């Protein structure tokens, strides 16, 4: 494909704030019955009747959470929605609406924002959430995205972080660590490109890892899967900052200990081979990497027979008395205290 060396660049200032909002939001359709009024008034109007409402919000900041050197704007828009929807899924709730706010510097033309919102629209359609409002403003620090996600659930469906009990089983969906290794591959190729811009990256060996980093998916299916199995988790959290950090959150809020088993961690073969290539310990990456957006939860030990052998879930440990502490049990059957070495947005 021949690259257009002179792409169209329309200044955002030509449209003004209200013209820009109208232009970027014209493709958002209402899908949820609970959305009475979406974009176009001073506030959205929602009606959840007898449901409970769950709300979560996240910021994504250029240079902190993403690098536009390798993150396409369409993928960024999609991912921005996913990371917020994932928080709703982690409450065992159904995501229904989002608001989208964007601060953008004058180096971004209208076409760049169109690409960003194309990804947001695609995610909104994929997860069947209504975009019901937001804000746009200027930025002196590049691109900033803030999304608030709203969801609904019956009161007895909602799962918190503080419900885990001693002897509960620790379960994770999917596989872990791949998103972090995808980031390592992209960072390496960025450095190679900076040295020699004519050197085009060959990423065929890392397609799954890169997809997990650039286009993750929220586990909206887990709520339905668990309902079909007649299992309600006792506690739940999504894996955004790293497995070790999330386990510690569950343990501290539930006042329990935990034994996590190294040989039970679900690892993708491409992830393992890339860790070997980078000479990085796969277990270290798997428990500390972050951005997997899988769900980590605990279930009553009596539900073991309902979940064992299910390909969607891996039982990776069990909860214990708080006095026992939080440990990784290695393949050599050695206990190592688990530390929170995952992502920390405020670390220097």
């Amino acid at each position: 494909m021949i690259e257009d060396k002179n792409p169209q660049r329309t200044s955002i200032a030509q449209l003004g704030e209200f013209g820009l909002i109208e232009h970027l939001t014209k493709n958002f359709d209402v899908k949820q019955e609970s959305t009475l009024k979406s974009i176009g008034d001073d506030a959205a109007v929602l009606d959840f009747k007898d449901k409970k409402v769950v709300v979560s919000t996240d910021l994504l900041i250029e240079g902190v959470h993403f690098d536009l050197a390798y993150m396409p704007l369409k993928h960024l828009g999609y991912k921005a929605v996913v990371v917020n929807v994932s928080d709703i899924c982690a409450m065992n709730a159904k995501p229904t609406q989002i608001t989208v706010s964007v601060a953008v510097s004058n180096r971004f033309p209208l076409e760049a924002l169109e690409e960003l919102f194309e990804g947001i629209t695609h995610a909104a359609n994929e997860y069947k959430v209504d975009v019901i409002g937001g804000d746009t403003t200027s930025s002196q620090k590049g691109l900033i995205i803030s999304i608030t996600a709203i969801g609904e659930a019956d009161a007895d469906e909602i799962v918190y972080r503080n419900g885990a009990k001693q002897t509960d089983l620790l379960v994770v969906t999917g596989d872990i660590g791949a998103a972090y290794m995808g980031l390592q591959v992209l960072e390496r190729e960025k450095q190679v490109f900076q040295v020699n811009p004519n050197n085009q990256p060959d990423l065929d060996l890392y397609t799954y890892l890169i997809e997990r980093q650039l286009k993750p998916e929220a586990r909206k299916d887990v709520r339905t899967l668990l309902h079909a199995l007649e299992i309600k988790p006792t506690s739940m959290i999504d894996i955004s900052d790293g497995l070790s950090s999330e386990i510690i959150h569950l343990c501290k809020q539930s006042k329990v200990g935990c034994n996590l088993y190294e040989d039970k961690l679900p690892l993708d073969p491409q992830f393992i081979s890339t860790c070997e290539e980078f000479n990085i310990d796969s277990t270290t990456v798997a428990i500390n990497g972050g951005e997997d957006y899988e769900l980590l939860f605990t279930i009553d030990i009596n539900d073991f027979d309902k979940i064992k052998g299910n390909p969607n879930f891996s039982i990776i440990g069990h909860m214990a008395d708080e006095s026992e502490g939080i440990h990784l049990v290695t393949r050599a059957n050695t206990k190592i205290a688990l530390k929170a070495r995952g992502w920390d947005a405020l670390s220097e």
Side-chain angles (χ1 to χ4, degrees):
M1 190 172 93
I2 299 174
E3 182 182 357
D4 184 359
K5 299 297 184 182
N6 296 293
Q8 183 179 357
R9 289 178 59 88
T10 304
S11 170
I12 293 173
Q14 289 181 226
L15 283 78
E17 182 180 3
F18 296 113
L20 177 64
I21 293 170
E22 183 178 352
H23 181 81
L24 294 175
T25 61
K26 62 186 178 184
N27 294 321
F28 293 138
D29 299 318
V30 172
K31 310 171 191 67
Q32 299 290 335
E33 291 183 6
S34 53
T35 305
L36 300 186
K37 177 66 179 180
S38 60
I39 297 169
D41 221 303
D42 290 303
V45 181
L46 308 178
D47 181 7
F48 290 94
K49 298 182 170 63
D50 57 348
K51 299 280 187 178
K52 299 299 180 184
V53 180
V54 294
V55 183
S56 181
T57 192
D58 266 314
L59 272 172
L60 292 176
I61 299 175
E62 184 179 357
V64 177
H65 300 99
F66 60 88
D67 187 337
L68 291 178
Y70 47 72
M71 169 64 84
L73 284 165
K74 183 176 180 180
H75 285 72
L76 177 61
Y78 190 94
K79 184 173 182 177
V81 175
V82 164
V83 302
N84 285 274
V85 166
S86 181
D87 284 332
I88 303 301
C89 296
M91 300 295 294
N92 202 37
K94 171 189 171 186
T96 50
Q97 289 91 9
I98 58 172
T99 65
V100 179
S101 296
V102 177
V104 61
S105 69
N106 59 12
R107 86 173 199 269
F108 292 92
L110 174 63
E111 288 74 21
L113 282 185
E114 287 176 335
E115 188 178 341
L116 178 72
F117 271 74
E118 186 180 349
I120 292 171
T121 304
H122 182 50
N125 291 334
E126 179 69 24
Y127 289 94
K128 295 181 173 56
V129 294
D130 294 336
V131 181
I132 58 169
D135 193 19
T136 58
T137 189
S138 61
S139 164
Q140 295 181 336
K141 300 293 183 182
L143 179 60
I144 301 171
I145 306 168
S146 176
I147 291 184
T148 296
I150 301 164
E152 65 176 31
D154 292 333
D156 60 356
E157 291 179 316
I158 297 175
V159 177
Y160 301 92
R161 296 179 181 180
N162 63 359
K165 312 181 301 297
Q166 295 180 39
T167 75
D168 278 358
L169 301 176
L170 185 65
V171 185
V172 70
T173 63
D175 60 82
I176 54 177
Y180 179 85
M181 286 312 297
L183 178 62
Q184 300 314 298
V185 170
L186 290 167
E187 285 286 351
R188 180 184 68 182
E189 296 304 321
K190 174 187 173 182
Q191 292 172 15
V192 170
F193 178 79
Q194 288 174 338
V195 173
N196 182 6
N198 294 319
N199 192 330
Q200 294 299 310
D202 183 4
L203 302 175
D204 289 345
L205 295 175
Y206 314 103
T207 51
Y208 178 67
L209 307 182
I210 291 170
E211 182 177 12
R212 292 282 279 174
Q213 171 58 219
L214 297 184
K215 190 178 177 290
E217 299 291 353
R219 295 305 304 261
K220 65 175 182 177
D221 58 323
V222 168
R223 184 171 182 260
T224 303
L225 289 169
L226 291 174
H227 186 267
L229 294 171
E230 298 182 341
I231 295 174
K232 181 187 175 182
T234 53
S235 66
M236 187 184 286
I237 192 171
D238 77 329
I239 303 175
S240 55
D241 299 330
L243 181 67
S244 58
S245 296
E246 315 304 2
I247 289 174
I248 291 170
H249 282 312
L250 292 184
C251 288
K252 285 186 174 180
Q253 295 202 26
S254 296
K255 294 181 170 56
V256 294
C258 179
N259 288 313
L260 169 70
Y261 291 88
E262 182 181 21
D263 61 352
K264 301 297 184 184
L265 296 173
L267 309 178
D268 183 82
Q270 193 175 101
F271 164 78
I272 295 172
S273 62
T274 306
C275 284
E276 292 173 352
E277 179 187 342
F278 277 69
N279 196 27
I280 300 176
D281 179 68
S282 60
T283 298
T284 301
V285 174
I287 66 176
N288 296 311
E291 289 202 293
D292 293 306
Y293 300 104
E294 297 292 345
L295 294 180
L296 176 72
F297 57 94
T298 54
I299 61 171
D300 191 287
I301 194 169
N302 292 319
D303 287 330
F304 171 73
D305 287 336
K306 297 178 183 178
I307 207 170
K308 69 176 181 180
N310 191 303
N312 297 288
F313 308 110
S314 298
I315 300 171
I316 59 173
H318 63 83
M319 313 315 274
D321 187 89
E322 186 176 18
S323 63
E324 289 189 32
I326 307 169
H327 293 93
L328 172 70
V329 181
T330 69
R331 292 183 180 90
N333 205 32
T334 302
K335 279 191 172 184
I336 300 173
L338 205 59
K339 303 291 185 183
R341 294 193 176 94
W343 166 253
D344 182 355
L346 301 180
S347 63
E348 294 183 0

